[in-house]
Amino acid sequence: MFKLKKENYLQILFILSILILLSAFVIEFIYGYQPCNLCRIERIPYMIAIIIILLNYNFKKNIIFYSILLILVFLFSILISIYHLGIEQGLIEESVACRSKSLDLINKEDILNSLQDLRISCKDVAFRIFGLSLTTYNIIISIIMFLLSTKVYLLNNDIKK
């Protein structure tokens, strides 16, 4: 395996987090695919990781604390992505936050109001790459990010000894 410094691992985590968020926004705003609520929640760990890494560069004496936070953030990312995949595959019942509303529209005002509160179902996969949903890719990426964060933690513990 590569012999990188902890700063290099943090840079990789930072760049990947930015690229993942940019990709999600391009798919949403350029290609027009609307994400479900869980898809939006799956973006949060990457935003938090960017903040943690920036804080790490500013407050270097708490490096172990920040690396533990990164591990926890990506562990959450793995868990929420697996939960989302379970819903997509029909293994887990869709939560109320994900369920698309059954529309019982009678008049024009009801139709206009329903358009403002449109929810995309978490079990409906709108965008696939090579036959896999973005949730599947997010699981793989989250595991990689978790392992990189663990490597940062281990490198920090080697320095302290």
Side-chain angles (χ1 to χ4, degrees):
M1 185 157 174
F2 300 106
K3 275 281 203 195
L4 299 175
K5 297 178 185 175
K6 69 177 182 279
E7 291 82 16
N8 298 122
Y9 287 106
L10 288 171
Q11 290 167 349
I12 292 168
L13 286 168
F14 184 76
I15 291 168
L16 280 177
S17 294
I18 289 174
L19 288 175
I20 289 162
L21 287 174
L22 285 175
S23 299
F25 292 134
V26 165
I27 291 168
E28 180 178 354
F29 295 112
I30 306 248
Y31 293 121
Y33 291 95
Q34 291 302 308
C36 68
N37 287 341
L38 280 176
C39 289
R40 287 189 172 106
I41 291 170
E42 288 176 29
R43 296 174 186 175
I44 294 171
Y46 299 104
M47 293 177 204
I48 293 172
I50 290 169
I51 293 167
I52 291 171
I53 293 168
L54 289 173
L55 287 172
N56 180 51
Y57 281 115
N58 290 330
F59 306 105
K60 292 201 182 253
K61 63 182 176 185
N62 295 325
I63 295 173
I64 293 178
F65 172 72
Y66 291 124
S67 59
I68 291 171
L69 279 180
L70 283 172
I71 290 169
L72 293 174
V73 163
F74 289 115
L75 182 61
F76 170 77
S77 183
I78 293 168
L79 294 175
I80 198 71
S81 296
I82 290 172
Y83 174 71
H84 192 181
L85 184 65
I87 291 173
E88 283 181 0
Q89 299 299 317
L91 302 172
I92 300 172
E93 186 67 29
E94 197 172 21
S95 71
V96 177
C98 289
R99 218 171 275 139
S100 58
K101 289 186 174 182
S102 60
L103 301 176
D104 188 22
L105 306 175
I106 298 171
N107 58 37
K108 181 173 55 171
E109 289 80 27
D110 289 341
I111 294 171
L112 291 173
N113 289 336
S114 72
L115 290 174
Q116 293 175 354
D117 192 33
L118 186 64
R119 282 192 212 149
I120 307 298
S121 174
C122 294
K123 65 182 173 184
D124 297 333
V125 180
F127 192 82
R128 293 181 185 270
I129 300 173
F130 301 118
L132 298 175
S133 70
L134 293 179
T135 302
T136 307
Y137 286 106
N138 195 48
I139 292 171
I140 295 165
I141 292 167
S142 295
I143 290 170
I144 292 168
M145 302 288 263
F146 174 81
L147 293 173
L148 290 172
S149 300
T150 303
K151 183 70 174 179
V152 170
Y153 173 77
L154 294 173
L155 287 172
N156 285 323
N157 269 346
D158 288 343
I159 292 171
K160 296 292 180 189
K161 290 182 180 179

